[in-house]
Amino acid sequence: MADLRGGDLSRLRQLNSLSAIRALRRAGPLTLSALAERTGLSRPSMKEVTDELMSLGWVEEVPPSPGTMGRPARRYRFRADGGYLVGVDIGGHNIRAALSDLDGEILAETRQPVLPDAPLDERLAAIERAVSGCLALSRTTVADLWSISVGTIGVIDVEGRVIYSAAVPAWRDLDLAGKLREMFPCQVLIENDSRLAAMAEARRGVARGARDVVFLHVGRRMGAGLIIGGKVHRGFGAAAGEISMLPEARWFDAPEHLNTCACVPEGTAPEDAAGYTLAAARNGDPVAVEAVERYVDDLAVGTAAMVLILDPQMVVLGGGFSRSSDVLLDRLRERLERVCMRMPEVRASTLGDECVVVGAIDYAVDHLDDQLFTPDKGPLPLTR
């Protein structure tokens, strides 16, 4: 922290403002006295800070509750509705979008189906429709958006370009960040979907509070996200967690055990085949059970490798197949116990299919905090 002796008043006001905003975002609405107590400022100083933040548009006074007797103490809140964030999950078969306020509270969600082999323009149009649906549901406009945060399949470089994508061939070598900036007049953030899913589970889901986590993003394709020391691990070239690229890990083709099971009725849509197999296994169908056993055999190989290398506190089974954790989890745990020196907790996701879009929202909130609520930058006017 800068040395404030000598009266750097502008710096002092900035730090006091940041303290007030942090307190209001964590516990607001608060009275002036409660806010002063939480920040360690005197009440008169706190009054000056809140007046300035109100003039900037970051804070507003909360009206007293209906029926309140007497003259109630004034309460203040952070204006999380001063702008909006959008999170997008670009999957092989679906585009999901969610709109939130500046604190990450989700206000609207939409989904658009899309085929894995859809042309690039069609997939981009589906993204635009999903975002537009959120705007319509929340009665906001694209001008209200501060940031769009996108989680996508594939290996993503630091500039937001898709380096490789096996599931969506049209995505390869695509400047996705550039394409989305042409579509939306706001900040665009791009990240690998499995990493965002891991972030969401660590922030809001079953791994909350865990500092070392292996997140298994399992569904019609396989991926992994890593939390190390409480932070999402990207790796030197942003390719951490891509164990499905190693044939010996047996992840790339593992879903085919479920997709091609003989128990799946002829004519079943390809995207529904694995779900049918898992449901049949739950009901004791021996053919389906055998297919699940083969699938978990393959899933356990790559998972065990990551557990032995990272020694995580927890392994989380997430993604679309987490809905069938009752079929998969015990089988996976039993296989890991055979080979892992120290067994981590093995838990099922509590976010399911929503993990990526929720993680995208949290990623956008983190960037907002870094840009506006750090001591080096501080609160900025809401007018853009």
Side-chain angles (χ1 to χ4, degrees):
M1 181 179 291
D3 186 354
L4 298 178
R5 291 172 298 180
D8 185 350
L9 294 181
S10 62
R11 177 63 169 165
L12 180 59
R13 281 195 298 269
Q14 182 191 49
L15 294 174
N16 289 344
S17 296
L18 290 170
S19 296
I21 286 177
R22 282 194 294 269
L24 289 173
R25 295 184 78 189
R26 291 170 183 165
L30 294 171
T31 65
L32 202 61
S33 296
L35 193 51
E37 182 179 351
R38 288 173 181 267
T39 59
L41 298 175
S42 68
R43 197 175 185 282
S45 295
M46 194 72 259
K47 180 65 167 62
E48 291 182 9
V49 169
T50 54
D51 286 347
E52 183 174 10
L53 289 173
M54 288 176 69
S55 70
L56 290 173
W58 286 115
V59 170
E60 69 178 3
E61 187 175 338
V62 179
S65 302
T68 302
M69 303 297 292
R71 186 178 179 181
R74 293 180 176 179
R75 295 186 305 150
Y76 301 89
R77 75 173 185 94
F78 172 72
R79 285 196 58 212
D81 56 355
Y84 298 92
L85 313 171
V86 165
V88 181
D89 171 12
I90 303 176
H93 296 80
N94 286 290
I95 309 294
R96 296 176 185 270
L99 180 140
S100 81
D101 64 16
L102 299 181
D103 278 341
E105 181 180 349
I106 294 176
L107 307 174
E109 294 184 69
T110 61
R111 182 175 68 88
Q112 288 286 324
V114 64
L115 296 175
D117 58 353
L120 176 60
D121 288 347
E122 186 175 323
R123 186 169 290 271
L124 293 173
I127 295 171
E128 189 166 23
R129 289 195 303 272
V131 174
S132 296
C134 285
L135 295 173
L137 287 171
S138 59
R139 298 183 181 181
T140 55
T141 70
V142 70
D144 297 317
L145 297 183
W146 285 30
S147 179
I148 289 182
S149 173
V150 174
T152 182
I153 49 183
V155 180
I156 317 300
D157 71 12
V158 295
E159 302 299 326
R161 179 181 294 276
V162 183
I163 303 302
Y164 175 81
S165 176
V168 182
W171 236 220
R172 188 166 184 170
D173 293 327
L174 173 68
D175 180 9
L176 182 58
K179 290 288 185 183
L180 294 179
R181 289 189 187 105
E182 293 174 5
M183 296 164 59
F184 303 106
C186 62
Q187 181 186 54
V188 173
L189 308 170
I190 310 291
E191 182 54 282
N192 171 266
D193 57 353
S194 295
R195 280 196 281 272
L196 293 184
M199 173 186 288
E201 208 65 56
R203 298 278 182 86
R204 308 191 192 205
V206 71
R208 188 180 304 178
R211 294 187 57 78
D212 296 284
V213 179
V214 170
F215 179 86
L216 308 178
H217 197 187
V218 295
R220 283 168 283 191
R221 58 181 186 80
M222 310 281 282
L226 309 175
I227 306 288
I228 299 177
K231 297 181 179 180
V232 174
H233 182 67
R234 303 183 79 230
F236 179 78
E242 296 293 337
I243 197 166
S244 62
M245 300 295 294
L246 181 68
E248 289 80 1
R250 292 164 48 182
W251 272 27
F252 192 83
D253 296 322
E256 290 306 300
H257 296 302
L258 306 177
N259 294 331
T260 62
C261 179
C263 74
V264 178
E266 187 176 348
T268 300
E271 61 268 24
D272 297 330
Y276 189 96
T277 301
L278 290 164
R282 181 180 296 110
N283 293 327
D285 183 307
V287 176
V289 169
E290 178 58 30
V292 168
E293 296 286 356
R294 292 196 300 271
Y295 171 74
V296 179
D297 281 342
D298 287 354
L299 174 62
V301 174
T303 304
M306 289 187 288
V307 168
L308 288 166
I309 291 170
L310 297 175
D311 185 26
Q313 176 182 345
M314 187 181 297
V315 170
V316 177
L317 182 73
F321 288 178
S322 64
R323 293 191 300 269
S324 298
S325 60
D326 59 320
V327 177
L328 300 172
L329 211 59
D330 286 344
R331 289 180 166 91
L332 176 61
R333 188 180 291 113
E334 186 271 333
R335 285 159 174 79
L336 294 180
E337 286 173 346
R338 296 177 193 171
V339 296
C340 294
M341 181 177 296
R342 190 200 67 80
M343 266 297 291
E345 293 182 68
V346 182
R347 306 281 296 276
S349 165
T350 54
L351 299 175
D353 289 346
E354 303 298 312
C355 57
V356 176
V357 75
V358 170
I361 291 289
D362 288 342
Y363 192 52
V365 172
D366 281 358
H367 275 261
L368 177 76
D369 289 348
D370 180 65
Q371 289 179 321
L372 301 180
F373 303 136
T374 61
D376 291 337
K377 298 172 184 177
L380 299 178
L382 276 176
T383 52
R384 299 163 63 203

